[in-house]
């Protein structure tokens, strides 16, 4: 029963590892500091918008969050593609983690978008190209998570969601162009947000950049955390697996 | 190539024969499409002369819903007695299986649309015959068939498959709906001809991309 | 026919999530022999057969059918495999003849009509060949499924519990067919719960327990003993966990 002995020794191996600074913690720490600095900059340093007032500050959250959701979905695409080619659980874990983070971010992007749209365009919702694309994105990736949840088992969940992750990502630019052209047929009655950002105040611009950087670290950290949790689940599964293989009661 | 097209034609023909015998797909989807236009009419109550403006949108909402209904059936038939497994252990390539299923769905959807178009034309006061509308129907339906067949195979193996197909299908085909409505708007007189070629190109790009990607990922969906 | 073995399996492993089904399994079946596979419910018989038929991809190990590696020369191997599963693999709105003609085209068989007729005659379905499958009894459907599997004259015939749903005459027919099959130098692997039947049809018997194969001596009592003595008391066994073909 060499297997059981090996498993029995495992806790010792974990204990010996002790506490040490992992890359994951480092990224998390940087993200934390940057987010605090970012908060200070947004509320204390950035000037109040002349036309829109304080509500304009949501812009420093809305833009980075939207961009990071795109980054997350790009990671889903990469993870999905590599999983289908390599069949390694690590890639599936990346796709899953980025998918969950991406859906949270794209939801936040929609919510902050609505908060933004109200004072700028005087409506809660407008079929502006970027906002519309974000909505379609949200629908695609909610479907992505649903496929994972409803697949008959974990191996199938990985394959099916990889398929959706690839198809969905390829579709995004087509959705964007179609929505944009569609709007150009019915010209928008309101000024788009980029019209303002073209002449963005230098301080505002700096705050936006810091915000982007903070959210970049934050996103990467969230994905890493989720992947670590997934790895722990897998490790538990492997221990159970080896116990069963060795013919020992697994205690569950 | 002969090893590819031969089996493909065989599989498409089999679907046509099965459909001709059971008539469970085309006829019921046509009835569904007619029901939709009646519901639209009650829901929107267009005044005389207004209907034509609504026509492109209603037409494509109907076609898209009809497509999900039709696609849901595509793999149920294959799985009734395990025929799909029989196909998968045969030497026929997965690409051929996918393209045959997509081609069959494409043909069935065209039949449905051909039956619905005159009815919609009459009820919504637009002329059903135009080259641009025809091109839009061909391109959009091809895209429906590719995406629908892939997700139908995928959804058939998940829990709550009837929900999974539309949930995955509709967001992905948004560009096709937008483009098809824009082109039909030009064709039915409910809009302008602005950028007609651009819209057809967009649909063409969509179809070409997924014509390459869908068969490839399909082979992963059906493996065990 | 071909040098070497009809079926060669080395170090085969398959698990569903963290549930090991087949573990380090080795197996060879020579040409001209029929192998009877026994095993308790959930022992992995169906999974093993589905791996041999290329329906399920193994996690590790190599499988060769007629010398063709299942993972590398898949299409080549598939031409040499005939499968009779739990389900008929037939379209219910087509007749047996149409179903067989359809598969004959897919397998690229040239003298289709003669081969289809011969296969249908062989399983005694000649008179019912033009009724829709839906209208046939279970036993008749099973016969049609067998005809479908032998149509392309595969070197290796794989049958999963073929006796299920067959009456005495049909069983005798199938027994004769398998005997002819092996006499012609082809080979067969089948699973069964019927020990007597398995011993009568198979040249060799193997018992699947604890993810491995055991080859007990030829008697029914030996098989019975192997079935009950094996480590079938694996944890979780009999709790309805997915272990046989992933709970299809």
């Amino acid at each position: 029963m060499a297997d059981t002995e090996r498993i029995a020794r495992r806790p010792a191996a974990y204990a010996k590892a002790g506490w040490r600074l992992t890359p994951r913690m480092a990224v998390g720490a940087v993200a934390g500091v940057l987010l605090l600095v970012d908060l200070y900059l947004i509320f204390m340093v950035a000037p109040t918008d002349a036309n829109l007032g304080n509500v304009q500050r949501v812009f420093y959250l809305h833009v980075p969050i939207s961009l990071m959701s795109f980054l997350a979905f790009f990671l889903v695409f990469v993870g999905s593609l590599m999983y289908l080619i390599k069949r390694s659980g690590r890639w599936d874990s990346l796709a899953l983690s980025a998918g969950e983070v991406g859906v949270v971010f794209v939801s936040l992007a929609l919510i902050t978008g609505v908060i933004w749209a109200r004072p700028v365009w005087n409506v809660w919702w407008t079929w502006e190209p970027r906002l519309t694309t974000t909505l379609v994105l949200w629908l695609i990736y909610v479907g992505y998570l649903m496929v994972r949840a409803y697949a008959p088992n974990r191996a199938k969940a990985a394959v099916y969601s990889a398929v959706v992750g690839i198809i969905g990502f390829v579709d995004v630019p087509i959705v964007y162009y179609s929505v944009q052209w569609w709007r150009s047929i019915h010209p928008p009655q309101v000024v788009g947000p980029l019209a303002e950002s073209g002449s963005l105040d230098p301080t505002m611009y700096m705050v936006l950049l810091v915000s982007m950087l903070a959210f970049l670290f934050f996103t990467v950290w969230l994905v890493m955390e989720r992947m670590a949790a997934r790895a722990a689940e897998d490790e538990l599964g492997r221990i159970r697996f080896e116990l069963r293989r060795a013919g020992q009661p697994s205690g569950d | 190539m002969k090893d590819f097209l031969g089996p493909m034609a065989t599989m498409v023909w089999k679907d046509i024969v099965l459909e001709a015998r059971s008539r469970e797909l085309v006829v019921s989807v046509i009835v569904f499409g007619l029901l939709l236009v009646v519901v639209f009419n009650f829901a929107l109550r267009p005044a005389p002369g207004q209907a034509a403006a609504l026509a492109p949108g209603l037409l494509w909402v109907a076609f898209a819903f009809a497509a999900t209904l039709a696609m849901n059936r595509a793999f149920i038939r294959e799985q009734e007695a395990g025929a799909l497994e029989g196909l998968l252990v045969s030497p026929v390539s997965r690409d051929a299986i996918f393209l045959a299923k997509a081609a069959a769905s494409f043909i069935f959807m065209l039949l449905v649309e051909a039956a619905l178009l005159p009815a919609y034309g009459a009820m919504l006061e637009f002329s059903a015959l135009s080259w641009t509308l025809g091109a839009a129907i061909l391109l959009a339906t091809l895209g429906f068939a590719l995406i629908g067949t892939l997700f139908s195979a995928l959804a058939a193996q998940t829990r709550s498959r009837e929900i999974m197909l539309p949930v995955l299908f509709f967001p992905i085909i948004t560009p096709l709906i937008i483009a098809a409505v824009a082109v039909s708007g030009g064709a039915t007189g409910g809009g302008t001809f602005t950028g007609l070629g651009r819209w057809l190109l967009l649909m063409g790009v969509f179809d070409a991309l997924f014509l390459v990607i869908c068969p490839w990922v399909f082979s992963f969906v059906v493996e065990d | 026919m071909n040098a070497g073995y009809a079926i060669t399996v080395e170090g085969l492993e398959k698990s569903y999530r963290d549930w090991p089904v087949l573990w380090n399994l080795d197996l060879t079946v020579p040409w001209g022999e029929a192998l009877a596979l026994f095993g308790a419910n959930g022992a992995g018989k169906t999974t093993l057969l589905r791996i041999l038929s290329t329906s399920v991809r193994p996690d590790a190990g190599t499988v060769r059918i007629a010398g063709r590696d299942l993972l590398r020369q898949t299409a080549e191997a598939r031409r040499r495999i005939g499968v009779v599963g739990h389900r008929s693999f037939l379209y219910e709105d087509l007749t047996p003849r149409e179903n067989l003609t359809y598969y004959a085209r897919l397998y690229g068989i040239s003298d289709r009509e003669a081969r289809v007729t011969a296969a249908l005659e062989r399983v005694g379905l000649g008179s019912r060949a033009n009724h829709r499958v839906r209208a046939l009894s279970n036993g008749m459907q099973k016969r049609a499924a067998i005809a479908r599997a032998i149509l392309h004259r595969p070197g290796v015939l794989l049958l999963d519990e073929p006796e299920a749903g067959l009456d005495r005459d049909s069983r005798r027919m199938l027994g004769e067919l398998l005997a002819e099959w092996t006499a012609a130098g082809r080979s067969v692997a089948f699973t069964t719960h019927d020990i007597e039947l398995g011993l009568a049809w198979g040249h060799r018997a193997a018992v699947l327990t604890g993810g491995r194969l055991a080859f007990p001596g030829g008697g029914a009592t030996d098989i019975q003993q192997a079935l009950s003595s094996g480590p079938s008391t694996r944890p979780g066994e009999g709790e309805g966990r997915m272990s046989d073909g992933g709970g299809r």
Side-chain angles (χ1 to χ4, degrees), chain B residues 71-138:
Chain B
M71 302 295 174
N72 246 335
R73 297 293 309 171
F75 277 90
I76 292 175
R77 193 178 270 164
E78 295 293 334
Q79 288 184 327
E80 265 172 359
L84 183 63
E85 196 177 338
L87 272 183
L88 292 175
V89 301
S90 82
V92 180
S93 81
R94 268 74 176 136
D95 290 1
I97 296 174
F98 175 81
L99 291 174
K101 290 307 289 181
S105 293
F106 180 63
I107 292 168
F108 294 150
M109 272 312 295
L110 285 184
L111 284 177
V112 169
E113 287 161 350
L116 288 181
L117 206 52
Y120 273 65
M123 292 190 219
L124 298 168
E125 306 158 33
F126 69 89
S127 158
L129 289 169
S130 91
W131 286 111
T132 46
L133 185 59
I137 286 177
L138 283 179

Side-chain angles (χ1 to χ4, degrees), chain C residues 2-45:
Chain C
N2 276 305
Y5 291 101
I7 304 174
T8 317
V9 178
E10 280 164 15
L12 182 68
E13 292 178 10
K14 179 70 191 178
S15 42
Y16 286 101
R17 192 164 176 187
D18 50 355
W19 185 254
V21 180
L22 302 176
W23 203 254
N24 202 9
L25 185 145
D26 295 321
L27 169 69
T28 50
V29 179
W31 291 108
E33 278 199 10
L35 173 79
L37 272 170
F38 300 98
N41 284 329
K45 297 188 302 294

Side-chain angles (χ1 to χ4, degrees), chain B residues 153-168:
Chain B
L154 196 157
Q157 300 182 58
T158 60
R159 281 175 282 141
S160 62
R161 67 214 242 175
E162 288 83 1
I163 309 284
M164 269 335 287
L165 178 61
V167 162
L168 296 172

